[in-house]
């Protein structure tokens, strides 16, 4: 049986531990190269497949980049290297350069000790389950290098940053600009450090850049989208109109208004959706996830905007958007997908959609978000034994039913098993903060009594 390495967002782990080792990653590159080369029916016999590799700013990226390059070359695949590049930038360049695949070396919002590998297809989408399974199956085969004359070549894409900057700018209307706006940009010492500021500055904004001095060890360290106090402080310090904070690989972002009040992905999606509805630009409805705040669902009901939930993870949001033929969706974490602009979630492009709503309306972020007040939400992780099936436990079901009856239509209970750890996640939300806290603890205690660890 083939061991499963791919998760919902590629392969990720602690550097030096399997699977994030040079040996494994070289074999992964080789297997991916063989699978991708055999899958492309448009290549002639004389053409070699080509793959783009981008990375964030972690020091381990150098090592893993070399390992991937060696594996791909051994499989007869040419390699194009961008250096530091946001994840959505790799997806865009893979399409623009008509390549067979794109690979990102990143662990997103994780600390620098972690790293990961994720793939994009020739169309800029995540690989299908079938392709991932084929790559994993190839890891069981020996790594046998192609003859020297058939080895892949490698070269740098020297204008990669410039290409992606122009692409991001193209998603903002030509009749608008950002003159008169002071924007603080926190790049999390990550992959947007040399991209985001240029995009916003060239559109006319007065830019203050923070978190843009990567040293290989400081990515996401007390800055960026996962450490929001940094952007809140900077906005007030520099008397800015707005703040934008990205995560380490640039596929998600959050915002702060001029008073330092934060707005997460759920709230920002509401602003984009309402603006698009007003401009007759909203195609269909909006896709959230099981974790999307109930207040967001109720808000969309008032606006008569269709809303549905996918499983947690941007991959599932994307799949449901494609199934329904809709264009807008995302998560509270700030991962927002605008399929009319890009094939994947893009922090810079998502921020531009919010800025467009501000410029079109002449309103501040505070004014645009009125009416979108998130319900109190509490999440408790309860340790369980491996294979614990909470669905079969009567006391847990009874506790959940009691909570749902008390919260009524203005509350929600979600019990969800973690996909990576022996944990059961208990999430309760509703209008009453006291009720939310009470029922989250009540259900969690009921669980603990049943598990009896």
């Amino acid at each position: 049986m083939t061991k499963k390495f791919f998760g919902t967002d590629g392969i990720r782990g602690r550097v030096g531990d399997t699977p994030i080792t040079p040996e494994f990653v070289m074999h992964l590159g080789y297997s991916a190269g063989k699978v991708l080369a055999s899958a492309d029916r448009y290549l002639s016999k004389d053409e070699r497949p080509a793959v783009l590799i981008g990375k964030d700013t972690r020091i381990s990226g150098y090592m893993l980049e070399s390992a991937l390059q060696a594996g791909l070359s051994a499989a007869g695949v040419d390699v194009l290297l961008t250096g530091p590049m946001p994840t959505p930038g790799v997806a865009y360049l893979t399409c623009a350069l008509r390549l067979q695949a794109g690979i990102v070396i990143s662990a997103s919002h994780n600390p620098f000790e972690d790293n990961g590998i994720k793939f994009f297809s020739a169309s800029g989408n995540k690989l299908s389950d079938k392709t991932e399974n084929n790559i994993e199956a190839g890891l069981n085969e020996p790594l046998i290098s192609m003859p020297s004359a058939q080895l892949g070549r490698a070269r740098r894409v020297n204008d990669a940053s410039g290409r992606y900057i122009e692409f991001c700018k193209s998603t903002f209307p030509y009749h608008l600009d950002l003159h008169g706006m002071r924007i603080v940009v926190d790049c999390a010492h990550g992959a947007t450090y040399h991209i985001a500021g240029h995009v916003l500055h060239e559109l006319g904004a007065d830019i203050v850049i923070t978190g843009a001095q990567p040293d290989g060890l400081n990515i996401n360290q007390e800055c960026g989208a996962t450490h929001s106090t940094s952007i809140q402080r900077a906005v007030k310090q520099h008397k800015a109109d707005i703040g934008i904070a990205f995560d380490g690989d640039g596929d998600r972002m959050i915002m702060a208004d001029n008073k330092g009040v934060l707005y997460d992905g759920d709230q920002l999606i509401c602003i984009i959706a309402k603006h698009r509805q007003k401009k007759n630009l909203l195609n269909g409805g909006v896709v959230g996830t099981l974790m999307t705040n109930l207040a967001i669902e109720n808000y969309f009901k008032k606006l008569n905007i269709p809303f549905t939930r996918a499983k947690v993870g941007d991959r599932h949001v994307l799949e449901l958007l494609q199934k329904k033929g809709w264009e807008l969706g995302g998560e509270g974490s700030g991962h927002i997908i605008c399929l009319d602009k890009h094939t994947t979630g893009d922090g810079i492009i998502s921020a531009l959609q919010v800025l467009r709503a501000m410029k079109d309306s002449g309103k501040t972020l505070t004014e645009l978000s009125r009416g979108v007040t998130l319900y109190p939400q509490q999440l408790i992780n309860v340790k369980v034994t491996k294979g614990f099936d909470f669905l079969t436990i009567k006391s847990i079901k009874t506790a959940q039913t009691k909570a749902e009856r008390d919260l009524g239509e203005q509350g929600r209970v979600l019990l969800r098993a973690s996909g990576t750890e022996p944990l059961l996640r208990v999430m309760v939300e509703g209008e009453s903060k006291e009720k939310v806290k009470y029922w989250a603890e009540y259900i969690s205690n009921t669980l603990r009594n049943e598990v009896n660890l």
Side-chain angles (χ1 to χ4, degrees):
M1 183 177 177
T2 302
K3 186 174 180 180
K4 188 72 178 170
F5 290 103
F6 282 92
T8 56
D9 197 26
I11 299 171
R12 190 179 299 184
R14 181 60 59 98
V15 175
D17 295 341
T18 303
I20 311 300
T21 65
E23 298 88 353
F24 178 89
V25 171
M26 182 169 68
H27 205 149
L28 177 68
Y30 176 80
S31 178
K34 299 296 279 187
V35 169
L36 295 169
S38 63
D40 198 315
R41 62 186 184 277
Y42 298 109
L43 290 173
S44 68
K45 290 182 179 180
D46 299 326
E47 284 184 292
R48 279 193 300 265
V51 170
L52 187 78
I53 300 179
K55 60 183 180 180
D56 65 24
T57 56
R58 294 162 213 269
I59 193 168
S60 57
Y62 293 100
M63 175 181 74
L64 300 179
E65 180 184 60
S66 296
L68 271 175
Q69 181 181 330
L72 289 161
S73 177
V77 175
D78 286 347
V79 178
L80 283 71
L81 303 167
T82 70
M85 177 62 56
T87 290
V90 172
Y92 162 69
L93 289 167
T94 299
C95 296
L97 297 172
R98 308 299 193 268
L99 305 177
Q100 277 61 58
I103 304 176
V104 182
I105 304 168
S106 175
S108 189
H109 56 278
N110 288 29
F112 85 93
E113 296 94 342
D114 295 345
N115 217 328
I117 313 291
K118 45 190 169 184
F119 293 81
F120 286 101
S121 69
S123 59
N125 292 308
K126 301 285 178 70
L127 295 186
S128 67
D129 290 340
K130 180 181 178 181
T131 302
E132 287 185 352
N133 291 339
N134 288 340
I135 292 173
E136 286 177 330
L139 294 171
N140 297 319
E141 303 297 325
L143 194 162
I144 303 174
S145 176
M146 298 288 283
S148 293
Q150 298 175 42
L151 293 175
R153 303 172 185 269
R155 67 177 176 88
R156 292 261 164 203
V157 185
N158 294 320
D159 60 345
S161 297
R163 284 173 176 257
Y164 179 54
I165 287 168
E166 289 303 314
F167 169 65
C168 290
K169 287 164 54 184
S170 75
T171 66
F172 194 77
Y174 289 108
H175 69 280
L176 295 177
D177 60 54
L178 300 177
H179 287 292
M181 293 189 76
R182 169 167 268 206
I183 303 174
V184 175
V185 184
D186 184 345
C187 297
H189 300 303
T192 61
Y193 81 96
H194 59 318
I195 303 282
H198 288 292
V199 172
L200 296 167
H201 176 70
E202 290 176 22
L203 289 173
D206 176 17
I207 298 298
V208 178
I209 296 285
T210 67
Q213 297 82 40
D215 61 11
L217 309 177
N218 60 0
I219 188 170
N220 300 312
Q221 185 178 336
E222 297 181 2
C223 59
T226 53
H227 296 276
S228 54
T229 54
S230 176
I231 192 69
Q232 291 176 290
R233 212 170 31 241
V235 166
K236 290 185 280 189
Q237 177 187 345
H238 295 284
K239 296 180 172 54
D241 299 297
I242 193 170
I244 306 170
F246 300 100
D247 68 337
D249 73 329
D251 62 358
R252 66 168 75 172
M253 65 90 196
I254 60 172
M255 285 185 166
D257 66 16
N258 61 338
K259 295 179 181 177
V261 177
L262 288 175
Y263 297 82
D264 71 2
D266 285 347
Q267 294 164 297
L268 298 175
I269 289 171
C270 283
I271 290 172
I272 297 170
K274 186 176 181 180
H275 171 259
R276 291 187 171 201
Q277 183 189 49
K278 188 174 182 179
K279 294 287 185 177
N280 293 318
L281 297 172
L282 183 64
N283 182 12
V286 177
V287 173
T289 74
L290 295 174
M291 297 300 292
T292 299
N293 197 283
L294 181 61
I296 303 302
E297 182 175 345
N298 291 339
Y299 180 76
F300 283 137
K301 282 180 183 177
K302 291 178 183 177
L303 295 178
N304 292 317
I305 293 176
F307 174 81
T308 189
R309 296 177 185 268
K311 290 189 290 185
V312 175
D314 65 287
R315 180 173 187 165
H316 300 300
V317 173
L318 177 60
E319 287 173 353
L320 193 49
L321 283 172
Q322 292 171 330
K323 181 179 179 180
K324 286 185 164 291
W326 296 355
E327 294 174 343
L328 180 62
E331 304 179 275
S333 63
H335 200 123
I336 299 172
I337 300 174
C338 303
L339 283 184
D340 59 321
K341 305 298 181 185
H342 203 347
T343 60
T344 189
D346 188 311
I348 296 174
I349 289 175
S350 299
L352 290 176
Q353 306 315 299
V354 178
L355 293 171
R356 176 183 181 178
M358 293 174 66
K359 277 292 181 177
D360 264 339
S361 65
K363 295 181 179 179
T364 65
L365 190 60
T366 311
E367 291 169 334
L368 287 175
S369 66
R370 281 181 186 146
V372 189
T373 303
L374 301 182
Y375 290 166
Q377 186 182 90
Q378 184 153 353
L379 177 66
I380 300 176
N381 291 323
V382 180
K383 287 187 177 181
V384 296
T385 53
K386 189 176 181 180
F388 179 78
D389 186 2
F390 69 94
L391 295 172
T392 63
I393 310 297
K394 185 177 180 180
S395 63
I396 297 172
K397 182 63 179 175
T398 300
Q400 181 177 354
T401 301
K402 285 181 179 179
E404 290 172 338
R405 188 180 299 124
D406 186 39
L407 293 167
E409 293 185 359
Q410 301 307 313
R412 192 165 66 100
V413 178
L414 176 66
L415 304 184
R416 183 173 68 91
S418 168
T420 57
E421 303 172 88
L423 297 174
L424 190 66
R425 308 194 193 281
V426 178
M427 190 278 289
V428 180
E429 64 183 8
E431 284 187 317
S432 169
K433 185 176 182 180
E434 292 74 21
K435 285 186 177 182
V436 166
K437 184 175 184 296
Y438 172 81
W439 286 114
E441 292 176 352
Y442 182 89
I443 296 171
S444 298
N445 288 333
T446 303
L447 263 169
R448 293 188 187 101
N449 290 335
E450 291 292 348
V451 177
N452 195 26
L453 284 174

